[in-house]
Amino acid sequence: LDATLWLSPAREQVAPPSAAEVFAAAAAHWPREWSRGAALDLSGSAAKGAAALEARVVRSQYLSMSQEAGSSPPQETGLVLNSWYGKFHTEMRWMHSAHHFLWGRPDLALRCEPYFERVRAQARRHTRVAQRYRGVRWPKMAGPPQLMPAIGDAVEPAGAPLFDGPSGAGPLIVWEQVHPIVFAELAFRSAPDAATVERHNRTVHDSADFMADFVLAPLPPSEPHACLPLGPPLWTAEVESNEGRPASDATSQNPTFELVYWRLGLTLAARWRRRLGLPPVPAWQEVLARLCKPTARPLRGVPGAPPGYRPYERSSDAALISNGVAPQLFAAAFAPGERLGADAAALRNTLGATIAALLRNLPWGSDAAMYAMAAARLGNASLAASILADPDGLWSRRFAPSGHYANAFLPVYLPANGALLAAVAFMAGGWDGDGGRPAPGFPRDGSWTVRAEGFSKYF
C-alpha cells in the first residue's frame, strides 16, 4: 500500500503528490542538501567520545533540516508529536534554528521569518492594549483567535481577541524578545546587502521599541542617576521565578542573563540604525546608557570568597542553580557577556562552582551545549569539549539511535539537537574576539583533531 497524507485546515484544490513522487523528490533533495553548508571531521581525534559526538552532529543535522525549517517557528517536538498544546515556540527559536546560520544554511533559518509579518498587527495590538507597551512583544505562542477573550481600549472600544496562548510562562519570560534582532543580525552577516536590511528592518525596530519601553515604562527610580532595572514582572530563561516568589515580586528583577541579552539586542538594533544612516532612537540609547549591569557577589556568601553570579540580582547566596539550570551562564553563550556589562572572571568563577552539579542533572538537554559555549568563550576549551563529548554519558545517553533526545518532560526534544549544532559550530568556527586561531573552542593538547570548513562566526 502506497499513500500520501496532506494535512490542511481546508480541502486542497489540487491532489497531493503520489508516494512515488515524494520518494523521488527526497532522493533528489538530500544529496543537494548534504553537499552544501559547513562540514566537520573529528575522525582523527583521540579524545574519548569524539566519534560518538560526530555521529550525534550528523543525526542532529538531519533532524534539524527535516523538522526545524518550516514556515512557522518550530515546536519543541518538531514534527514527531504535539507539545505545548501543539503550538510553535518562539521562546526556543534560537536553540532550534540559529545554528543554520553558523552552518552555512541561512535560508533554512529564514523560512519562518514571514511568520513575524503575518502576526505583526495582532501582536502589536496585544502589546498596546493588554500590556500597555510600545512596539511589539512577540508571543511565546498564540491560541486560536476564536477561543481567546476579547479586550478593547480607547482606540478600539469594541475589542478584539487577545493574541496569546495557554501558558503559565508565556506572559512572563522575556528573553525571546531579543531573538528576532539576533536573527536579523545573523542574516545580515550571511548576506550584508540592502535587501537583507529591508527584509528585517520592521522587526528590528518593533522589537527594540518594546524592549526599551519595557524598561522605561515603569516609574523611574528615585535616584535620577540610578541604573534602570529590568523587570519585574518577569521570569528568567529557566522558566522560574526567583526562588518561587511571584513574578511581580521586587526580587524578580535584573536576571543576570537577560540583562546581558537585552543589552546585546539593543546594541545590535542601534547598529542597524547606523547601517540605515538614521539617527539614534533616544529611548534605545537611554536604556543602553542606564540599564543595570549584572551584580556579582561572593559565591559562598562569605566576604573574601571569589565573586560570581546568581540567576537574579537578589537571589539568595545559596541559589546558584535554579530549577536545575544556571541561566546566568547563558550570558557567556548567547552573548559576549564580558563586553555587555558582565565580568568575565566572575562568570568563570560561576562556571567552576556549578558545572559539576549541573552536568549531573540536566533537565532539558539543550543546557549542556550552552555551558560548553560558555566554557569555550571563557577560555576553558578542555571543559567545553569534554561537555560535548560527554565521555561518561552523563547526558548524551539520552540520545536515541535515531538522533532524537528525550528529557524528563518530553520523549523528543529538538532544542537539544539544535543547541548541540550551535555549540559545535561555535567551537569549530569561532566567535568575534576569539583570537583568530582555528577551532578555538577545542583544546590544543593533542586529544582533538578538528577539520572544519564553511562555518560562520558567532558574536
Side-chain angles (χ1 to χ4, degrees):
L1 174 66
D2 290 339
T4 56
L5 300 177
W6 194 322
L7 302 179
S8 174
R11 180 181 294 274
E12 293 290 336
Q13 299 302 309
V14 296
S18 68
E21 289 172 326
V22 171
F23 295 145
H29 168 80
W30 284 110
R32 291 196 304 268
E33 198 64 61
W34 284 112
S35 298
R36 71 186 185 111
L40 178 75
D41 178 9
L42 303 176
S43 61
S45 300
K48 183 180 178 181
L53 170 60
E54 185 174 300
R56 289 195 294 274
V57 166
V58 173
R59 293 175 186 133
S60 293
Q61 285 187 83
Y62 169 72
L63 293 174
S64 294
M65 289 188 287
S66 60
Q67 300 192 37
E68 302 278 277
S71 59
S72 296
Q75 65 169 341
E76 289 178 318
T77 47
L79 302 178
V80 178
L81 62 126
N82 277 342
S83 57
W84 283 106
Y85 308 91
K87 301 300 177 190
F88 54 81
H89 209 42
T90 61
E91 177 200 358
M92 302 301 290
R93 186 184 175 213
W94 193 101
M95 307 282 199
H96 285 290
S97 305
H99 62 86
H100 288 310
F101 290 108
L102 307 182
W103 279 81
R105 301 184 184 102
D107 54 302
L108 301 187
L110 293 173
R111 282 182 184 170
C112 72
E113 201 66 30
Y115 159 81
F116 294 91
E117 198 59 47
R118 294 197 303 270
V119 306
R120 187 183 309 276
Q122 295 166 284
R124 184 189 302 280
R125 185 190 178 281
H126 180 86
T127 305
R128 186 192 78 242
V129 176
Q131 301 199 357
R132 309 299 172 89
Y133 294 118
R134 296 175 62 247
V136 176
R137 183 173 191 171
W138 309 103
K140 177 182 187 289
M141 56 194 185
Q146 66 270 22
L147 299 181
M148 302 302 294
I151 185 171
D153 65 356
V155 178
E156 297 179 78
L162 286 175
F163 191 64
D164 206 343
S167 170
L172 299 173
I173 55 175
V174 296
W175 67 300
E176 78 279 11
Q177 304 306 318
V178 187
H179 296 341
I181 300 177
V182 168
F183 271 59
E185 187 65 21
L186 290 173
F188 185 81
R189 286 182 170 218
S190 66
D193 54 34
T196 301
V197 174
E198 176 64 25
R199 180 178 188 178
H200 299 276
N201 190 44
R202 290 183 66 192
T203 298
V204 169
H205 279 76
D206 285 342
S207 301
D209 283 342
F210 164 75
M211 290 171 58
D213 206 44
F214 185 76
V215 175
L216 295 173
L219 292 175
S222 56
E223 293 289 336
H225 301 295
C227 69
L228 296 171
L230 183 64
L234 59 75
W235 281 3
T236 190
E238 91 284 4
V239 196
E240 183 80 2
S241 65
N242 188 12
E243 300 176 65
R245 299 182 182 91
S248 58
D249 190 271
T251 63
S252 292
Q253 71 175 18
N254 289 343
T256 299
F257 162 57
E258 279 78 0
L259 285 173
V260 166
Y261 204 41
W262 218 252
R263 192 178 294 277
L264 172 66
L266 288 174
T267 298
L268 295 177
R271 182 185 300 171
W272 205 267
R273 295 278 297 182
R274 293 194 297 273
R275 217 169 259 152
L276 291 165
L278 297 174
V281 176
W284 303 2
Q285 296 305 118
E286 182 176 2
V287 174
L288 281 172
R290 297 183 56 197
L291 184 67
C292 294
K293 296 180 179 180
T295 300
R297 305 198 314 269
L299 281 171
R300 296 190 296 276
V302 178
Y309 291 111
R310 286 149 179 87
Y312 290 88
E313 178 182 67
R314 300 190 197 179
S315 297
S316 66
D317 287 338
L320 289 174
I321 297 174
S322 176
N323 203 24
V325 181
Q328 63 271 39
L329 292 175
F330 296 174
F334 290 89
E338 73 283 0
R339 300 202 303 270
L340 296 164
D343 179 73
L347 285 168
R348 279 192 288 271
N349 295 339
T350 308
L351 178 67
T354 58
I355 192 62
L358 290 169
L359 293 179
R360 286 195 298 269
N361 176 32
L362 293 164
W364 298 105
S366 54
D367 31 12
M370 296 300 99
Y371 303 142
M373 289 177 67
R377 192 193 292 274
L378 295 171
N380 195 337
S382 294
L383 175 60
S386 177
I387 292 173
L388 290 192
D390 191 25
D392 298 321
L394 295 175
W395 66 285
S396 60
R397 56 185 169 80
R398 294 181 177 176
F399 281 96
S402 64
H404 279 294
Y405 185 89
N407 63 24
F409 309 100
L410 294 166
V412 171
Y413 190 67
L414 271 297
N417 302 93
L420 173 66
L421 293 175
V424 168
F426 182 84
M427 293 163 59
W431 58 91
D432 295 348
D434 61 16
R437 69 179 180 86
F442 288 89
R444 305 176 72 85
D445 58 5
S447 60
W448 288 87
T449 300
V450 181
R451 298 174 61 209
E453 64 177 41
F455 288 102
S456 298
K457 285 183 181 288
Y458 187 61
F459 310 133

